Each structure stands twice: as C-alpha cells, then as structure tokens.
Amino acid sequence: GVPGAGKTLAGLNIATSRAEKHSDEHAVFLSGNGPLVDVLREALARDKAGREGIPRSQAYREVSTFVQNIHHFRDEALASKNPPVEKVVIFDEAQRAWNREMASKFMQQKRGHANFNMSEPAFLIDAMNRHKDWCVVICLIGGGQEINTGEAGLGEWIAVMRDRHPEWDVHVSSFVG
C-alpha cells in the first residue's frame, strides 16, 4: 500500500492480538527502521502500563518481545538451529529488506560472520522454514518505496519463494503498487 495506508498499524494489530490471545503461538513485528521500533515500543509500553497498572519498565520488556528490529531477530536465529519461538512474523516495509550484497557486507563487517551470504528475505524465510508444522510470514510492502542502496525490493521476496521454497503457499494482495 501507499504511505499512510495503515500497513504498520495492521501489522501491529496482528502482533498484539496474537500476544494477548495466542500466547502459545508467538508473533513478532519486525522492522529494519530502528527509530520506528523504539517509538513503537515506547508508545505500546506506556499504553500497556496505563491499561494494566504495571510499571512501564515491565510493560516495555513485554512489548519488546513482539516488536523487534530485524537485526535482533536475525542474530537470535543465527545463534541456534532451532526454529524461532515465533510462529508468525510480520515484516514492516519488507520492500526495504537488504539484498544479499548489503546483508553479507553488514554481517561480515559488523557482526563477524565471514560466511554470511544471504539476503534478509532469504535468511528470514530459511529461519522460519525450520518449523516443521506451520508458520506465517506477512510482508507489509509499500510499492515503489525502495529508497536506499542495497534494498532488495519485492522481487527478492518472490525470487526466494520461487527458488528456495516452492513448497510454501504464497498469497499476494491484488494491489501490488
């Protein structure tokens, strides 16, 4: 959808409702936009603390389990070969996920993973594919909004599904741009 269409709000609604109603089937809202993650966590923590009468610090810890930066999720998935605890992943601004070159460069230079050679979409889908029963990846996409060098765009998600995971069921909105 276009900027302001409500993609982020829709994704947050999915993640928060799953946290409240399906505690055994965790969901996570992911974004590569660190400042957005910080703002969302703070706003949700304040709201939760006010509604539930709990300390803001406790609410912040709880909110941080289902609103995360993609780097945190990726680092946890690299640390273990087990499936992620989350069964549902919502990736906000998924068109801005890094291509293989950018993700590899970051992982090699900033995280010390010399052999990392995947795009963010490929790694995320591979990590979720560790689940043997089911999982869901929801990509919230703002068409034509790739703005930085190294952003993979919608084509990378489609290529990963076609080339690496053809057994997955893929559903695409009729509105793609």
Side-chain angles (χ1 to χ4, degrees):
V2 298
K7 298 178 298 292
T8 299
L9 180 59
L12 284 171
N13 283 340
I14 293 167
T16 57
S17 69
R18 292 206 62 82
E20 293 169 3
K21 298 176 185 162
H22 301 276
S23 60
D24 59 330
E25 299 172 355
H26 297 283
V28 64
F29 177 91
L30 299 176
S31 175
N33 182 337
L36 174 65
V37 170
D38 293 342
V39 167
L40 292 175
R41 283 178 169 175
E42 184 62 30
L44 290 168
R46 287 180 183 184
D47 178 68
K48 183 177 184 69
R51 279 186 297 108
E52 298 179 13
I54 60 175
R56 193 208 61 80
S57 58
Q58 177 185 343
Y60 190 88
R61 278 191 306 278
E62 292 176 15
V63 165
S64 294
T65 64
F66 66 87
V67 176
Q68 296 180 18
N69 190 299
I70 182 63
H71 301 306
H72 176 81
F73 182 87
R74 186 205 48 242
D75 292 348
E76 283 191 1
L78 278 170
S80 170
K81 294 297 180 193
N82 293 326
V85 67
E86 296 87 1
K87 297 285 246 177
V88 178
V89 168
I90 303 108
F91 194 127
D92 194 30
E93 299 292 342
Q95 79 282 355
R96 299 195 63 202
W98 286 344
N99 61 24
R100 184 186 55 77
E101 293 79 17
M102 183 65 116
S104 296
K105 180 180 176 182
F106 177 85
M107 292 303 291
Q108 292 167 11
Q109 292 178 352
K110 303 286 186 186
R111 296 289 203 262
H113 290 278
N115 297 323
F116 192 93
N117 195 26
M118 301 173 82
S119 67
E120 282 184 327
F123 183 79
L124 177 64
I125 300 295
D126 279 7
M128 293 303 288
N129 197 53
R130 296 174 191 168
H131 287 286
K132 298 301 179 205
D133 48 358
W134 69 273
C135 66
V136 175
V137 176
I138 301 169
C139 294
L140 305 174
I141 301 198
Q145 295 180 40
E146 300 85 6
I147 59 172
N148 293 315
T149 302
E151 293 179 355
L154 178 58
E156 177 65 9
W157 291 95
I158 293 169
V160 166
M161 299 310 294
R162 180 193 64 228
D163 300 341
R164 297 174 68 102
H165 298 286
E167 73 282 3
W168 277 49
D169 291 332
V170 177
H171 303 273
V172 180
S173 167
S174 60
F175 176 77
V176 185

